[in-house]
Amino acid sequence: MSSSALLHRPQRRRISTTTTLTLTSAERVINNDDLLKQILIRLPAKPLFSFKRVSKRWLSLISDRYVLRDWIPPISPSSFFLRRYSTPSSRSVNFNHVSLLPSNSIRSFDFVNDPNGVKISQSCNGLFLCSSSCFTLDYSDTRYYLLNPTAKYFSTIPRPTNGDDRNFVVSMNLAFDPSVSFHYKLVALRSKRWCGPDFQTAIYSSQTRTWTFSEVSYAYSTRVVFENRVFLNGKIHWPSCQSVRSIYYDVNQARLFPLPMPHCLLTKDLLYFAESGGRLQLIEFIKNCSRHFYVFELETDYSKWFVKCRVDLKLAVSAFPEMYHEHADHPCMGYTFKVLCFFGGDVEGDSCLVLYIPGKVISYNLRVLGRFAI
Amino acid sequence: MSSSLEKNMLILRSSDGEEFIVPEVVAVMSKAIKNMVEDECASNTIPVPNVDANILAMVIEFCKKHDESEAEAASDLKTFDSEFVNRGQEALYDLITAANFRDVKELLDALCQNVAEMIKGKSVHHIRIQFLGYQLFEILTSNFIWNIWCDRDFD
């Protein structure tokens, strides 16, 4: 039976005549499809889907595409995945996943049976793009996987080959926006060799399960950090080092556009490039140094970057002295931390940094210090 | 009485006959009343059927606060909202009905959020008893196969 038929099914006369007078206020609210929908879209995912069992009417509402479209996702994440191999030789396997909720269990990607283990290369709206080799290094036997960590589902992506000699994948990128479509796309940049002079794009769609190849070539810049990409609003953004220009790819227009950079960044290892609240953010760190840094944010019209906030980790250092080790050469050197995530709220003070310091993951707010031990 | 009324004031009459004098800017936060005012089909006294004096007073309190505090910090308003919606079950759901009927979006959002917070930890059984009490007999009889299938599949 279609959902609309269920929704508009007239109530049976037996009920409406005998019990109308005894309806409580709550029942009256819940009986209104619009109001019930307003309540349901504010529920977290887990209770929402378990409430499918309440009745047929709730099931049809919760399964309704138009209800799901308006669902309000939780503002704060429940856990983090770190870019590590699922089956590394080191002892820190547990480190792949940091949960911020006590109930969440540690997840691993053992369900992908790759002998080399898989490494997350990109996360995009709940899906992961994983590869069996490190970062953008691509070999003819590198396998690419698309992973749904919640459903423990994965699918193997065929290599983008169409018979020409562009066998090298410079960068594989995932574009998935469930508010637009439940189908994902992959964008591969193909080159003739590692750091070749130019590359062409190829698009894979989960709808057709085939690669579509583009004939247009783009000049290759080694300054673009291809392994650090962010998908946002239908565009894949890459930062760049030692250059004030970078590129982004518009998936709908299937074209590359220039992207400004705030200044000439020095090294890609010390770069934080991510998205929060629909905006792109960028932090550059100075090696082993200084608890001060700036968070840049890109204007929505892509014209320029502005300083979102200036961060001083003084409070964090006093609370967690293990962040700092005496350094002989320079007093401001010797800070050990890594920014995992930045959340920029609309209200000043809602901004929050998630930091990795030796042995711990902490969240750092301007006023509140929350601590999450691993 | 209506002649002595200031120009920008409206009288709202609840279902049980009580009258409230409110500034027009506050009253038009309800889209339903706004439409009536704009279409000029409202006389000075606007009847608000289905909403009793008690609930209407609460809705007006909410609208007044939101009207006054437009310039205030958003966080203050958030605190007010969370305290405002923290009420007994009966009043809460009556407010939702009123907010929906009168089309006061901010109030409806805050109230629905509160209900979602309240029910997100509840079991399916609890939800059925709370919200579908009158349907329980039907659910238990005509849908019993459905229940068996659900409980097996999801637990």
Side-chain angles (χ1 to χ4, degrees):
Chain A
M1 194 185 293
S2 78
S3 61
S4 62
L6 273 175
L7 288 176
H8 301 298
R9 187 180 59 175
Q11 287 206 336
R12 290 181 196 176
R13 205 184 313 138
R14 177 167 52 89
I15 290 169
S16 55
T17 50
T18 54
T19 56
T20 319
L21 292 174
T22 60
L23 282 188
T24 65
S25 313
E27 286 166 355
R28 225 176 300 139
V29 167
I30 294 301
N31 278 335
N32 182 323
D33 276 346
D34 285 336
L35 290 177
L36 180 55
K37 178 191 152 182
Q38 286 299 318
I39 294 165
L40 291 176
I41 59 171
R42 289 172 166 81
L43 283 169
K46 250 187 182 165
L48 178 66
F49 288 105
S50 76
F51 286 167
K52 280 183 175 183
R53 292 158 52 198
V54 168
S55 72
K56 280 185 181 174
R57 183 172 151 256
W58 283 52
L59 171 78
S60 72
L61 266 180
I62 295 170
S63 313
D64 193 320
R65 179 176 269 255
Y66 294 100
V67 175
L68 286 179
R69 190 191 56 189
D70 293 341
W71 181 66
I72 301 164
I75 302 159
S76 54
S78 55
S79 58
F80 292 93
F81 286 92
L82 304 183
R83 282 196 196 175
R84 296 224 168 179
Y85 274 112
S86 59
T87 50
S89 47
S90 71
R91 290 141 291 155
S92 48
V93 185
N94 290 350
F95 214 79
N96 280 330
H97 179 243
V98 180
S99 173
L100 299 184
L101 298 175
S103 59
N104 275 20
S105 55
I106 289 170
R107 297 182 188 189
S108 68
F109 300 150
D110 294 342
F111 58 93
V112 184
N113 280 321
D114 193 292
N116 298 339
V118 294
K119 179 157 184 159
I120 303 170
S121 49
Q122 189 192 353
S123 142
C124 187
N125 289 321
L127 293 183
F128 286 150
L129 176 66
C130 295
S131 97
S132 63
S133 70
C134 187
F135 286 125
T136 49
L137 289 180
D138 182 76
Y139 307 100
S140 55
D141 63 342
T142 300
R143 288 164 297 271
Y144 293 95
Y145 299 99
L146 190 101
L147 227 81
N148 182 335
T150 315
K152 298 205 169 179
Y153 164 85
F154 75 96
S155 90
T156 312
I157 308 294
R159 286 187 65 83
T161 46
N162 66 341
D164 66 7
D165 54 355
R166 294 180 181 274
N167 293 323
F168 190 84
V169 179
V170 179
S171 171
M172 184 75 91
N173 308 277
L174 171 62
F176 172 61
D177 188 348
S179 67
V180 175
S181 161
F182 289 130
H183 290 283
Y184 58 82
K185 280 182 178 169
L186 292 168
V187 179
L189 309 185
R190 301 158 61 245
S191 177
K192 284 178 185 166
R193 58 175 192 276
W194 174 237
C195 291
D198 62 345
F199 61 80
Q200 292 185 355
T201 56
I203 313 262
Y204 177 87
S205 162
S206 64
Q207 210 164 1
T208 59
R209 295 189 169 274
T210 49
W211 285 98
T212 320
F213 296 89
S214 150
E215 296 299 319
V216 188
S217 294
Y218 298 97
Y220 189 99
S221 166
T222 50
R223 289 170 175 171
V224 176
V225 186
F226 282 113
E227 67 257 37
N228 206 345
R229 77 292 256 178
V230 172
F231 174 74
L232 179 66
N233 298 332
K235 304 175 183 99
I236 300 165
H237 307 79
W238 296 276
S240 74
C241 290
Q242 299 165 341
S243 166
V244 288
R245 288 269 299 273
S246 189
I247 50 173
Y248 73 87
Y249 182 82
D250 191 312
V251 177
N252 297 323
Q253 298 185 43
R255 266 183 64 199
L256 280 174
F257 293 92
L259 175 74
M261 286 268 109
H263 58 101
C264 296
L265 301 162
L266 296 173
T267 48
K268 61 184 181 185
D269 303 339
L270 300 165
L271 173 75
Y272 171 85
F273 184 71
E275 170 263 339
S276 162
R279 303 281 198 94
L280 282 172
Q281 278 103 20
L282 188 147
I283 308 173
E284 194 206 4
F285 303 98
I286 301 153
K287 195 167 185 171
N288 283 336
C289 179
S290 147
R291 46 174 215 252
H292 305 273
F293 49 84
Y294 294 97
V295 179
F296 293 94
E297 190 168 284
L298 185 64
E299 294 276 6
T300 42
D301 62 358
Y302 288 49
S303 57
K304 65 178 187 347
W305 294 79
F306 63 93
V307 175
K308 169 103 175 163
C309 57
R310 184 179 183 278
V311 181
D312 182 353
L313 293 176
K314 193 178 166 190
L315 268 177
V317 176
S318 56
F320 302 99
E322 60 267 39
M323 278 178 75
Y324 184 72
H325 299 284
E326 282 296 332
H327 198 279
D329 298 338
H330 204 280
C332 87
M333 294 178 78
Y335 290 99
T336 317
F337 64 89
K338 188 167 165 45
V339 173
L340 298 179
C341 195
F342 171 83
F343 305 108
D346 291 334
V347 186
E348 191 66 32
D350 275 5
S351 302
C352 166
L353 280 168
V354 178
L355 305 174
Y356 166 71
I357 60 173
K360 283 191 192 73
V361 173
I362 61 168
S363 92
Y364 184 77
N365 196 304
L366 286 182
R367 285 183 293 273
V368 193
L369 267 178
R371 189 177 75 163
F372 307 96
I374 298 169
Chain B
M1 179 179 164
S2 59
S3 58
S4 66
L5 203 65
E6 282 177 51
K7 194 162 184 294
N8 295 329
M9 301 298 261
L10 289 174
I11 301 174
L12 304 181
R13 187 192 290 136
S14 68
S15 61
D16 44 1
E18 208 167 309
E19 294 190 341
F20 294 83
I21 302 172
V22 287
E24 194 180 310
V25 278
V26 173
V28 297
M29 282 181 75
S30 151
K31 283 226 187 74
I33 293 179
K34 189 181 179 194
N35 290 343
M36 285 174 80
V37 172
E38 280 174 357
D39 297 347
E40 292 178 352
C41 61
S43 55
N44 276 327
T45 309
I46 298 177
V48 188
N50 300 359
V51 181
D52 66 21
N54 195 7
I55 298 295
L56 186 58
M58 291 182 204
V59 177
I60 291 173
E61 180 199 344
F62 180 90
C63 291
K64 270 189 176 154
K65 179 75 185 174
H66 272 249
D67 180 55
E68 287 164 7
S69 59
E70 245 169 48
E72 274 180 40
S75 56
D76 283 1
L77 207 58
K78 257 187 204 164
T79 324
F80 169 80
D81 282 1
S82 60
E83 280 166 13
F84 182 86
V85 297
N86 202 354
R87 294 173 186 275
Q89 294 276 322
E90 196 76 358
L92 177 65
Y93 291 104
D94 281 343
L95 269 172
I96 293 183
T97 312
N100 182 48
F101 185 61
R102 294 283 103 197
D103 205 351
V104 189
K105 191 175 176 304
E106 293 92 339
L107 179 58
L108 192 59
D109 285 351
L111 292 165
C112 288
Q113 185 65 46
N114 191 41
V115 175
E117 296 290 330
M118 277 165 32
I119 66 172
K120 71 179 180 190
K122 299 269 171 67
S123 68
V124 170
H125 183 66
H126 191 113
I127 298 288
R128 281 179 185 162
I129 289 182
Q130 189 180 1
F131 296 130
L132 310 172
Y134 76 101
Q135 289 179 351
L136 212 55
F137 178 73
E138 191 195 24
I139 290 173
L140 288 177
T141 51
S142 73
N143 296 353
F144 80 100
I145 296 172
W146 163 250
N147 283 332
I148 292 168
W149 178 80
C150 283
D151 291 343
R152 191 193 58 191
D153 209 45
F154 288 95
D155 285 342

